[in-house]
Amino acid sequence: MGTRKKVQAFVRVKPTDDFAHEMITYGGDNKSIDIHLKKDTRRGAVNNQQTDWSFKLDGVLHDASQDLVYETVAKDAVSQALDGYNGTIMCYGQTGAGKTYTMTGATENYKHRGILPRALQQVFRMIEERPTHAITVRVSYLEIYNENLFDLLSTLPYVGPSVTPMTIVENPQGVFIKGLSVHLTSQEEDAFSLLFEGETNRIIASHTMNKNSSRSHCIFTIYMEAHSRTLSDEKYITSKINLVDLAGSERLGKTGSEGRVLKEATYINKSLSFLEQAIIALGDQKRDHIPFRQCKLTHALKDSLGGNCNMVLVTNIYGEAAQLEETLSSLKFASRMKLVTTEPAINEKYDAERMVKNLEKELALLKQELAIHDSLSNRTLVNYDPMDEIQIAEINSQVRRYLEGTLDEIDIINLRQIQEVFNQFRVVLSQQEQEVESALRRKYTLIDKNDFATISAVQKAGLMDAEGHLVGEPDGQSFGLGVAPFSIKPGKKLRSKKTLKDQFSSSARKEGASSPVSGKDLDVVSISKTQLIPSSRDGDVKDMLSRDRETSSIEPLPSDSPKEDSRPLRPSTPPSKPVAFEEFKNERGSEINRIFKENKSILNERRKRASETTQRINAIKREIDVTKDSLNFQKSLREKQGEYENKGLMIIDEEEFLLILKLKDLKKQYRNEYQELRDLRAEIQYCQRLVDQCRHRLLMEFDIWYNESFVIPEDVQVALKLGSSIRPGMVPVNRIVSLGEDDQDRFSQLQQTVLPEGPDSISFYNAKVKTEQKVTWDIHVYEAGGPKDYITRTPRITN
């Protein structure tokens, strides 16, 4: 194991015009920060409120550039990762403090890129500087949203969504995410493409403190594996770097979050609270149990928090006086993190294939040394190779002669021969047992004691003794030896044996099931049965398909369908969109329009039921209030008239008793109606989403149909159809002429203006442009997907 070391904690202050110079001061070494609060005069003369705090950290980054932040925070951890040490870099702080900017940066500008893209660049630069090692790099991108695990790279065409939900699994090697895709990257540009692909799938929302607030915790992991090209050693090193962008803690009173954003904030604050509890437990040396399993975040980072890892924390804070309470809370978390110790060590593993090759070389060398030793000892005939068939046959012959007594002893040369002699003893013994059994079967009629049909036939043949047992004694091998009794004459022996066979065969034919079935007959039976099953299932499948065709919406027509060829001539002037929309709803989009109307009618019906249920609940509530008033009046009247008791029990009159029963029934009705209202509200929310999706689908299909029918020239449509699976109406009209030339021109201009200043940025911008093009086309392909896509797929973007 490695030596224990403290977690490094840095603070980065977000630049602002309203910096609180009187309340926040830095030390001269830029490794300490002091917070001063004014006393609250509203607490009176006796006020023990703490007003001053001082935090000693590993560095304070104020007005620092992205280059300086990376050099100070992450460069050493990434460099040690290629030597076999795991590393984790985590950004923590309140919402809007600049965590995502520190970790990812601004992807539009190469100079403003964050820790993550710079770490990828450093990894591939160091790989180029180590030609003596074959280093493979893999990456994964995990998102934890509302305590659910998501793969941000599952949108890639060769990955696809997972059927089973992802889970966190622990094994002796550590913690890993089951179901998370890991992607091999051979060059820097591929790694950037995966990073940008994951960034486009992250969940963001807007509130008063941040227009683009991350609503989930994200962990980008770089896996490295290094094999030596020069040494034949079977050992190799592995390492991983976890780059963690935590969602920001929120004060709901300041952010003003509502609805889904409020629910997300609740999950975020809860997981960050569990993270702080785990950090406090790790900093306390007396604690035996660390609560890693309280949430998915701490469980996934179990290896990073206090484990075999170089841990670095970047705490992002505001410098404004209005955010001083949150700043103080973040600094306290950073000081607790500095109490945590880790024990980084080199991760060495063994290559099984290379180990086998090394063992084979060592074995050949040992054989050569043994041959030299035998030669010096005058043992020249010793052979240590595996025995061939001739040698095995010779040993078998020696064993047989030894058992027969013609050979007094067997010469032993080496250990391999001893093992083969014992093996041949076993072979000879097995052969002799088979020969004895074959001889018995030729001489006697053998009956299996477990075959009840045969025993029944034997009993009918009269071959039983007076005590009801088979004639002869059992040999202990589950069959009896049929020895004829003394009363039977020798001349009738063959006849009785034949009679037994005849009786058995005749009884077997009568009983039918008692006769054994040949392999061919079994095949026939099994085939006949299997042929019956699909016939019934085919009918069910056809019924299901027919029902699916009736209930599902119509798939988009193929580009070469006859309906498209026989469509009417295009008018010279395109009709207005309202008129064309009515025509589209009656013809091309009739099926989608029907589904939309059905969903809307279901939604209206659920709303009507919910309104009626609400009225019933209000009526029951009013009746409950009236009943409570009447019951209170009866109680007060009873207290005035005097209460009567019988054996310690209160005696009430019949009217008060009936009111109590009525109140109990009303409360039960209220609970039932309220539960029904909750169910209806859930159905209304689901139906509303379906209606919105159907409306969006209808409008999108109309736009595609309108462009194909009236806007895009027919010759251009024919050119677009050749060798393409994308419908012409899906292509934006403003890009019909250029077909991607705008992106190429933009990229060329970008190269002319940016590359002279940053020659290393070509991979960064290449990946950025490819991702933007892919996202643009994926949006159109998704909108033109099948009917099931727009009904079942749930968007994961919050507004």
Side-chain angles (χ1 to χ4, degrees):
M1 297 296 293
T3 58
R4 301 191 68 85
K5 59 183 295 187
K6 295 284 187 180
V7 172
Q8 289 185 303
F10 297 88
V11 172
R12 187 180 191 185
V13 185
K14 183 177 182 180
T16 177
D17 295 334
D18 299 329
F19 187 81
H21 295 279
E22 298 179 356
M23 299 181 179
I24 303 176
T25 57
Y26 308 122
D29 57 352
N30 280 333
K31 290 188 177 182
S32 63
I33 182 170
D34 299 327
I35 306 295
H36 175 73
L37 289 178
K38 295 180 180 180
K39 283 193 175 184
D40 190 358
T41 57
R42 293 175 297 178
R43 296 189 177 185
V46 180
N47 188 352
N48 296 323
Q49 177 187 2
Q50 185 178 356
T51 58
D52 296 295
W53 289 267
S54 180
F55 299 95
K56 185 69 175 177
L57 304 166
D58 293 286
V60 178
L61 302 170
H62 181 55
D63 290 335
S65 64
Q66 295 283 65
D67 291 331
L68 179 60
V69 170
Y70 184 76
E71 292 287 334
T72 306
V73 172
K75 186 174 182 179
D76 291 341
V78 176
S79 177
Q80 293 182 22
L82 270 80
D83 296 328
Y85 294 94
N86 294 334
T88 297
I89 304 171
M90 180 188 300
C91 288
Y92 176 89
Q94 75 175 110
T95 181
K99 297 179 300 301
T100 303
Y101 179 77
T102 300
M103 181 56 67
T104 308
T107 56
E108 295 81 10
N109 194 317
Y110 178 73
K111 291 184 179 181
H112 295 165
R113 68 197 188 281
I115 293 176
L116 208 163
R118 291 173 188 268
L120 289 173
Q121 282 185 317
Q122 182 181 350
V123 166
F124 284 98
R125 295 292 185 273
M126 295 182 67
I127 290 175
E128 294 176 357
E129 296 172 358
R130 300 191 181 189
T132 58
H133 287 77
I135 302 176
T136 58
V137 180
R138 295 176 174 84
V139 299
S140 65
Y141 212 166
L142 173 69
E143 180 184 49
I144 305 175
Y145 172 71
N146 290 355
E147 282 301 295
N148 293 316
L149 303 177
F150 295 96
D151 186 1
L152 290 178
L153 301 180
S154 63
T155 55
L156 294 172
Y158 55 86
V159 179
S162 177
V163 179
T164 58
M166 293 191 296
T167 56
I168 302 175
V169 181
E170 293 187 41
N171 58 15
Q173 286 73 34
V175 178
F176 69 97
I177 312 299
K178 185 178 180 180
L180 180 65
S181 61
V182 181
H183 304 263
L184 178 65
T185 57
S186 57
Q187 55 186 355
E188 185 179 324
E189 184 177 331
D190 296 338
F192 282 136
S193 298
L194 294 172
L195 170 62
F196 296 144
E197 176 72 22
E199 287 295 317
T200 57
N201 297 325
R202 289 191 62 175
I203 298 178
I204 60 174
S206 176
H207 52 72
T208 56
M209 295 187 64
N210 192 357
K211 293 183 179 179
N212 298 311
S213 175
S214 301
R215 312 310 296 167
S216 60
H217 310 297
C218 292
I219 304 174
F220 188 92
T221 306
I222 306 173
Y223 308 89
M224 285 170 284
E225 184 176 306
H227 295 261
S228 177
R229 285 194 175 104
T230 57
L231 302 177
S232 60
D233 191 5
E234 63 269 10
K235 289 193 299 185
Y236 66 97
I237 60 174
T238 62
S239 61
K240 65 178 180 179
I241 307 174
N242 289 324
L243 301 162
V244 186
D245 182 14
L246 298 176
S249 59
E250 299 182 14
R251 286 185 181 267
L252 301 181
K254 291 185 178 181
T255 58
S257 301
E258 296 179 353
R260 182 183 296 178
V261 182
L262 175 61
K263 179 182 178 182
E264 294 167 349
T266 304
Y267 276 103
I268 292 171
N269 291 339
K270 182 179 178 182
S271 61
L272 292 177
S273 176
F274 288 143
L275 174 62
E276 187 167 6
Q277 292 178 19
I279 297 302
I280 294 174
L282 287 168
D284 187 358
Q285 297 180 358
K286 298 180 181 179
R287 290 283 293 270
D288 295 330
H289 172 68
I290 310 299
F292 286 117
R293 293 176 178 266
Q294 286 184 318
C295 66
K296 300 289 180 61
L297 175 63
T298 55
H299 198 184
L301 295 176
K302 182 178 179 180
D303 291 344
S304 301
L305 302 174
N308 174 21
C309 179
N310 288 316
M311 180 74 182
V312 181
L313 175 70
V314 181
T315 304
N316 296 84
I317 63 173
Y318 274 102
E320 300 176 358
Q323 311 296 335
L324 208 57
E325 293 183 5
E326 290 80 2
T327 296
L328 190 60
S329 176
S330 299
L331 291 174
K332 289 180 180 178
F333 179 86
S335 63
R336 294 190 186 102
M337 181 65 84
K338 276 190 64 64
L339 299 176
V340 179
T341 59
T342 61
E343 196 169 356
I346 297 177
N347 300 293
E348 292 184 345
K349 294 186 179 180
Y350 292 88
D351 188 352
E353 183 178 355
R354 185 170 292 185
M355 186 183 298
V356 170
K357 292 181 179 179
N358 292 339
L359 290 176
E360 289 176 349
K361 292 180 180 179
E362 185 177 358
L363 181 61
L365 181 61
L366 291 175
K367 284 183 177 181
Q368 292 176 2
E369 292 181 357
L370 191 57
I372 295 173
H373 180 270
D374 292 336
S375 177
L376 296 176
S377 302
N378 295 324
R379 299 178 62 193
T380 57
L381 299 177
V382 180
N383 185 10
Y384 297 98
D385 294 331
M387 293 188 176
D388 54 13
E389 295 181 357
I390 298 175
Q391 293 173 334
I392 294 174
E394 177 62 25
I395 293 177
N396 184 276
S397 175
Q398 292 177 3
V399 169
R400 289 183 179 275
R401 284 183 288 154
Y402 179 79
L403 293 175
E404 294 172 355
T406 58
L407 183 64
D408 295 334
E409 60 182 15
I410 300 176
D411 295 332
I412 301 300
I413 300 176
N414 54 25
L415 180 62
R416 194 185 298 274
Q417 186 193 17
I418 296 175
Q419 295 175 346
E420 188 60 38
V421 166
F422 280 101
N423 185 33
Q424 291 304 318
F425 268 110
R426 186 187 300 111
V427 171
V428 171
L429 179 61
S430 177
Q431 291 176 354
Q432 288 181 353
E433 289 179 351
Q434 294 177 2
E435 291 174 359
V436 170
E437 183 178 348
S438 301
L440 292 174
R441 289 184 179 275
R442 287 194 300 269
K443 190 174 182 181
Y444 303 101
T445 300
L446 306 181
I447 302 174
D448 190 354
K449 288 187 175 182
N450 296 324
D451 192 349
F452 299 103
T454 306
I455 294 174
S456 176
V458 170
Q459 291 175 350
K460 292 179 181 180
L463 300 178
M464 304 294 293
D465 59 6
E467 297 180 357
H469 296 89
L470 288 175
V471 177
E473 296 296 331
D475 67 341
Q477 300 296 329
S478 298
F479 55 82
L481 302 181
V483 181
F486 294 104
S487 59
I488 299 180
K489 296 181 180 181
K492 297 183 179 180
K493 183 176 180 181
L494 294 175
R495 183 178 177 183
S496 64
K497 192 181 297 186
K498 182 178 179 181
T499 305
L500 172 61
K501 294 181 179 180
D502 295 340
Q503 291 288 340
F504 170 70
S505 59
S506 61
S507 62
R509 283 193 297 270
K510 291 178 182 178
E511 294 177 2
S514 61
S515 60
V517 183
S518 64
K520 187 179 295 186
D521 296 334
L522 285 174
D523 293 339
V524 173
V525 173
S526 63
I527 291 173
S528 63
K529 289 183 178 180
T530 54
Q531 287 177 347
L532 292 174
I533 294 174
S535 62
S536 60
R537 290 183 178 177
D538 289 342
D540 297 338
V541 172
K542 291 179 180 178
D543 295 340
M544 291 173 63
L545 290 175
S546 62
R547 288 196 297 268
D548 289 341
R549 292 192 188 97
E550 293 175 0
T551 56
S552 63
S553 42
I554 297 177
E555 298 285 346
L557 291 174
S559 58
D560 55 351
S561 61
K563 291 184 179 180
E564 201 166 303
D565 297 334
S566 59
R567 61 187 178 184
L569 297 176
R570 176 180 299 182
S572 58
T573 303
S576 62
K577 283 201 171 183
V579 175
F581 186 62
E582 294 298 327
E583 179 184 353
F584 173 77
K585 288 193 297 183
N586 295 329
E587 296 179 0
R588 181 74 172 273
S590 59
E591 187 65 18
I592 303 177
N593 189 37
R594 180 185 65 80
I595 296 175
F596 172 71
K597 290 182 178 179
E598 289 180 358
N599 291 340
K600 196 169 184 180
S601 63
I602 294 174
L603 175 63
N604 294 333
E605 189 268 337
R606 295 294 189 275
R607 285 177 174 173
K608 182 179 179 182
R609 286 176 54 187
S611 177
E612 294 174 353
T613 305
T614 305
Q615 294 177 3
R616 290 197 301 270
I617 290 175
N618 293 333
I620 294 173
K621 183 64 173 62
R622 289 192 295 268
E623 192 171 356
I624 288 175
D625 295 338
V626 173
T627 306
K628 283 184 177 180
D629 294 339
S630 301
L631 188 59
N632 292 332
F633 176 75
Q634 290 292 330
K635 287 182 179 180
S636 61
L637 185 63
R638 172 164 49 81
E639 292 175 355
K640 290 179 181 180
Q641 294 177 356
E643 298 179 346
Y644 297 93
E645 295 184 0
N646 183 13
K647 296 180 180 180
L649 299 178
M650 190 67 63
I651 299 176
I652 59 176
D653 58 2
E654 183 179 359
E655 185 176 357
E656 186 175 354
F657 179 71
L658 293 176
L659 288 174
I660 293 174
L661 294 179
K662 181 179 179 182
L663 182 61
K664 184 178 179 181
D665 294 337
L666 289 174
K667 287 183 177 180
K668 183 177 179 181
Q669 294 179 17
Y670 182 85
R671 287 192 295 269
N672 295 334
E673 294 290 342
Y674 187 74
Q675 182 62 37
E676 183 180 355
L677 181 61
R678 290 181 60 183
D679 296 340
L680 286 173
R681 285 176 177 174
E683 293 181 10
I684 289 172
Q685 185 178 4
Y686 177 73
C687 293
Q688 182 66 52
R689 189 170 74 249
L690 289 183
V691 169
D692 294 340
Q693 291 175 351
C694 289
R695 182 185 293 109
H696 175 73
R697 171 72 177 185
L698 183 64
L699 295 176
M700 183 271 299
E701 285 288 340
F702 167 70
D703 289 337
I704 295 176
W705 172 80
Y706 190 83
N707 290 336
E708 292 179 350
S709 302
F710 306 109
V711 178
I712 302 176
E714 295 183 355
D715 54 347
V716 175
Q717 293 190 37
V718 173
L720 288 173
K721 290 178 184 177
L722 296 176
S724 174
S725 59
I726 301 177
R727 296 170 58 188
M730 292 163 50
V731 183
V733 178
N734 57 356
R735 299 185 61 181
I736 289 297
V737 179
S738 62
L739 291 179
E741 293 179 357
D742 294 340
D743 289 335
Q744 187 64 35
D745 294 341
R746 194 184 314 123
F747 181 61
S748 300
Q749 296 174 4
L750 197 63
Q751 285 182 324
Q752 295 174 4
T753 56
V754 177
L755 289 185
E757 299 180 2
D760 294 334
S761 63
I762 183 169
S763 299
F764 183 87
Y765 283 113
N766 270 339
K768 183 65 179 175
V769 170
K770 289 181 180 179
T771 304
E772 289 180 351
Q773 292 176 348
K774 178 180 181 300
V775 170
T776 303
W777 288 103
D778 282 349
I779 289 174
H780 295 292
V781 172
Y782 163 70
E783 290 178 348
K788 294 181 180 179
D789 289 338
Y790 77 91
I791 291 178
T792 61
R793 184 169 180 176
T794 303
R796 297 178 55 243
I797 302 296
T798 58
N799 295 317

